[in-house]
């Protein structure tokens, strides 16, 4: 009850910020970002667009990968109209396609740009069951596996940039408190919904993908530490906000739910605050493997803090991006799943 009251009134936490803080407010006292290059997925609308706008306002060079180049160009135009002189690169990327992710990384590397900050922000909530071109349930493929491969392939560049510049690299995975809604065997459920739509539940699939974001953060933080890399990774819950993420669930019921919970909703500038805080605030120097909400460290679910599950998910993810996913997710052929 006390936490709810604090949330509603926007009481500041240990960081000095709270649920009512905006992305501009949390970056007010941050260093100039003109030496920083950022890749941010899902920046054509909603929270991602606001995150991109604020980082550009602080001077960062932006790389905006998007499935729709038209939408990305429009986002670029909006930002440059407010922040003339902003350096923004638009590139093609479909996170649900492992081939597209590889092509994007290859094209990015050809630009010979540094990479200081990677924000894995793009998200999908698919009401209807769908399978990616790689044979993986679409929500999981887009929200988690595409980002897993993207991060894996860009990590060398981030480590090199941090070593050359002395500026610590940061990776931010945008998750959701809905990750706490998933219970059960993650990999078995993924195999089920990637092979048979009768097992599909849209909310559970979304919760699974967001739990995977949390576990990815946990395992990657350990690996970066073992590598002695000057790169951190953290995970954020932006808050409840109505964005285009719900565009496939429009209707009376959705409208009613959002009306009844309107007092709990954040504005988009407020929802982008935690991502921006974790991305660039000096207070987060050397902080890694944590989960943040309302610009303060928060708790994950019990499953989200399970190191064994994090390592297991990583191992499966490596297989999914390197071999035929259909074989990996064959329950009968892989009893260890």
């Amino acid at each position: 009850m006390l936490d709810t009251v604090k949330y509603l009134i926007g009481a500041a936490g240990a960081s000095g910020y709270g649920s009512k803080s905006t992305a501009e407010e949390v970056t007010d006292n941050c260093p100039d970002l003109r030496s920083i290059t950022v890749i941010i997925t899902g920046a054509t609308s909603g929270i991602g667009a606001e995150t991109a706008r604020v980082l550009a306002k602080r001077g960062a060079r932006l790389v905006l990968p998007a499935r729709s180049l038209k939408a990305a160009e429009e986002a670029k135009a909006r930002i440059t109209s407010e922040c003339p002189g902003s350096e923004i690169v638009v590139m093609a990327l479909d996170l649900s396609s492992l081939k597209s992710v590889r092509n994007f990384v290859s094209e990015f590397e050809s630009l010979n740009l540094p990479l200081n900050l990677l924000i894995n922000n793009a998200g999908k909530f698919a009401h209807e069951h769908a399978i990616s071109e790689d044979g993986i349930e679409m929500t999981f493929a887009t929200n988690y596996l595409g980002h897993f491969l993207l991060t894996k392939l860009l990590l060398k560049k981030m480590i090199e940039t941090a070593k050359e510049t002395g500026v610590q690299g940061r990776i931010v995975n945008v998750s959701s408190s809905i990750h706490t809604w998933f219970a059960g065997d993650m990999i078995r459920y993924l195999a089920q919904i990637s092979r048979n739509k009768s097992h599909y539940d849209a909310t559970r699939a979304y919760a699974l993908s967001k739990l995977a974001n949390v576990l990815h953060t946990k395992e990657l933080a350990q690996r970066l530490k073992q590598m002695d890399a000057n790169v951190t990774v953290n995970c954020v819950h932006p808050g409840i906000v109505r964005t285009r993420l719900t565009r496939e669930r429009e209707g009376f019921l959705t409208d009613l739910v959002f009306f009844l919970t309107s007092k709990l909703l954040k504005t988009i500038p407020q929802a982008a605050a935690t991502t921006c805080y974790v991305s660039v605030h000096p207070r987060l120097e050397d902080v890694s493997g944590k989960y943040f909400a309302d610009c303060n460290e928060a708790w994950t679910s019990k499953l989200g803090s399970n190191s064994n599950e994090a390592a297991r998910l990583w191992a499966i993810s490596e297989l999914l991006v390197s071999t035929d996913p259909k074989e990996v997710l064959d329950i009968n052929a892989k009893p260890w799943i």
Side-chain angles (χ1 to χ4, degrees):
M1 181 64 180
L2 180 59
D3 288 342
T4 301
V5 172
K6 287 181 177 179
Y7 175 87
L8 290 172
I9 65 175
S15 68
Y17 305 108
S19 62
K20 303 300 183 185
S21 299
T22 67
E24 288 201 21
E25 289 171 351
V26 303
T27 57
D28 268 343
N29 298 317
C30 290
D32 187 284
L33 301 182
R34 279 179 289 187
S35 63
I36 300 299
T37 299
V38 185
I39 293 178
I40 173 170
T41 66
T44 58
S45 65
I47 297 169
E50 176 66 1
T51 301
R53 183 190 72 82
V54 171
L55 294 180
K57 186 174 182 177
R58 304 306 181 205
R61 174 197 287 130
L62 303 182
V63 176
L64 305 184
R67 189 171 51 180
S68 167
L69 290 177
K70 180 177 182 291
E73 289 290 355
E74 290 172 351
K76 175 181 176 178
R78 289 194 299 270
I79 295 171
T80 53
S81 67
E82 179 183 345
C83 310
S86 296
E87 187 175 350
I88 303 175
V89 180
V90 167
M91 300 179 69
L93 171 62
D94 179 353
L95 281 162
S96 72
S97 163
L98 299 178
K99 179 181 178 180
S100 178
V101 173
R102 291 189 174 94
N103 287 342
F104 166 80
V105 172
S106 178
E107 290 176 16
F108 174 76
E109 289 176 339
S110 72
L111 298 177
N112 293 315
L113 292 173
L115 181 58
N116 308 91
L117 175 58
L118 171 62
I119 303 177
N120 292 320
N121 166 82
K124 179 181 182 66
F125 191 125
H127 179 57
E128 299 296 331
H129 180 262
I131 301 297
S132 76
E133 65 182 40
D134 300 295
I136 302 164
E137 188 278 319
M138 188 63 79
T139 301
F140 189 87
T142 305
N143 294 0
Y144 167 69
L145 195 64
H147 282 127
F148 173 85
L149 180 59
L150 180 67
T151 305
K152 173 183 170 69
L153 297 179
L154 289 172
L155 201 55
K156 181 181 177 182
K157 170 62 73 174
M158 294 197 71
I159 293 172
E160 288 175 352
T161 300
K163 186 175 293 185
E164 292 168 1
T165 63
V167 178
Q168 190 169 75
R170 297 189 187 186
I171 300 167
V172 180
N173 291 329
V174 178
S175 181
S176 169
S177 62
I178 291 175
H179 83 271
T180 63
W181 294 13
F182 186 88
D185 189 314
M186 296 177 62
I187 309 305
R188 182 167 293 277
Y189 182 63
L190 173 63
Q192 289 173 338
I193 61 177
S194 293
R195 294 170 57 83
N196 190 335
K197 69 180 293 184
S198 66
H199 293 282
Y200 184 73
D201 176 271
T203 301
R204 193 174 187 218
Y206 183 73
L208 169 65
S209 71
K210 291 303 176 179
L211 174 60
N213 294 146
V214 173
L215 291 173
H216 178 214
T217 302
K218 185 175 183 65
E219 180 67 14
L220 180 56
Q222 289 299 317
R223 289 171 178 262
L224 288 169
K225 184 178 180 180
Q226 291 168 4
M227 295 164 63
D228 199 27
N230 190 23
V231 177
T232 64
V233 57
N234 289 292
C235 196
V236 305
H237 163 55
I240 307 169
V241 59
R242 190 168 194 179
T243 69
R244 289 179 61 200
L245 184 65
T246 61
R247 61 186 175 273
E248 296 182 40
R249 298 185 69 91
E250 294 298 320
F252 173 75
L253 183 59
T254 302
D255 290 339
L256 178 62
V257 169
F258 274 94
F259 172 75
L260 294 175
T261 60
S262 61
K263 295 300 181 183
L264 297 176
L265 293 180
K266 287 186 175 185
T267 65
I268 287 177
Q270 290 169 348
T274 305
T275 300
C276 287
Y277 173 74
V278 174
S279 295
V280 300
H281 202 284
R283 185 189 293 267
L284 274 295
E285 186 81 12
D286 296 327
V287 175
S288 193
K290 304 298 184 181
Y291 175 77
F292 291 83
D294 302 327
C295 301
N296 287 276
E297 190 175 338
W299 295 100
T300 65
S301 67
K302 184 176 180 180
L303 191 54
S305 62
N306 189 312
S307 298
N308 291 333
E309 280 299 299
R312 179 174 177 242
L313 175 64
W314 187 284
I316 294 294
S317 301
E318 289 278 18
L319 288 173
L320 288 172
V321 301
S322 61
T323 59
D324 183 353
K326 294 177 183 178
E327 293 182 7
V328 178
L329 296 176
D330 186 340
I331 296 176
N332 295 321
K334 294 288 190 299
W336 45 267
I337 284 179

